[in-house]
Amino acid sequence: MPKPTVQPNPKASLGMALICKDGEKFIGPCLESIAPYVKQIVVAVYDRTSDRTAKIARKYGAEIHYFKMCDTHECAQHRPAIQAQHFARARNFSFSKLDPDLDFWGWIDADDVMQNAQMLPELCGKIPVESIGAWAEYLYSYTRRP
């Protein structure tokens, strides 16, 4: 009698995007929580990142794209010049790298961990096709250290 083959976890037709700067301490658990269950992960890495963020992200199959987060800005109110951060532009940059043929795109912060991500394929399959989006519950927690 032939041995039954073990099927790999199904992956949702879902691409997840995130941006990160110097995130080597927390990006591993984030990507570990979603990598088995999504078809694409895009990590937009801030071009001034000086740690192993990109190397760790690649370990989880993420695509790495570098972006410029800050521009010098000077005006009547900001003298001397300041470094203006463009979070929305960075987030939109990461979304621009997701595969347009996927059914869904998602966002996760680089220091988040998605609990029960194994449910993503089933949950994505239950979203009505006429929907324009879905929202997942976001639970905050932290640990206090002495």
Side-chain angles (χ1 to χ4, degrees):
M1 178 182 259
K3 286 185 173 181
T5 57
V6 177
Q7 295 296 323
N9 293 324
K11 292 192 177 201
S13 181
L14 169 64
M16 295 294 284
L18 56 138
I19 61 175
C20 193
K21 177 184 186 279
D22 293 329
E24 73 178 20
K25 292 181 182 176
F26 49 79
I27 197 166
C30 172
L31 299 181
E32 185 174 345
S33 74
I34 61 171
Y37 311 107
V38 302
K39 288 193 176 175
Q40 182 185 27
I41 299 172
V42 168
V43 179
V45 177
Y46 180 29
D47 66 349
R48 292 186 182 178
T49 293
S50 60
D51 68 3
R52 300 177 317 119
T53 297
K55 182 177 181 178
I56 293 167
R58 281 188 191 99
K59 175 182 161 188
Y60 293 96
E63 298 171 22
I64 307 302
H65 301 276
Y66 290 91
F67 71 96
K68 183 178 180 183
M69 178 71 156
C70 297
D71 286 321
T72 302
H73 171 77
E74 187 172 9
C75 66
Q77 291 179 323
H78 298 110
R79 285 204 176 104
I82 63 168
Q83 288 293 306
Q85 291 189 356
H86 301 287
F87 178 81
R89 184 171 65 196
R91 183 181 54 217
N92 290 340
F93 171 80
S94 70
F95 278 124
S96 77
K97 303 302 181 183
L98 289 170
D99 182 349
D101 293 329
L102 293 172
D103 292 334
F104 300 98
W105 291 355
W107 174 265
I108 188 168
D109 287 338
D111 60 350
D112 288 346
V113 172
M114 184 176 287
Q115 294 182 342
N116 299 312
Q118 74 277 6
M119 296 173 66
L120 284 171
E122 179 185 352
L123 293 172
C124 287
K126 291 181 178 180
I127 297 172
V129 294
E130 65 274 7
S131 298
I132 60 168
W135 190 260
E137 184 177 21
Y138 194 97
L139 302 173
Y140 293 91
S141 67
Y142 62 93
T143 302
R144 288 189 184 183
R145 295 193 174 123

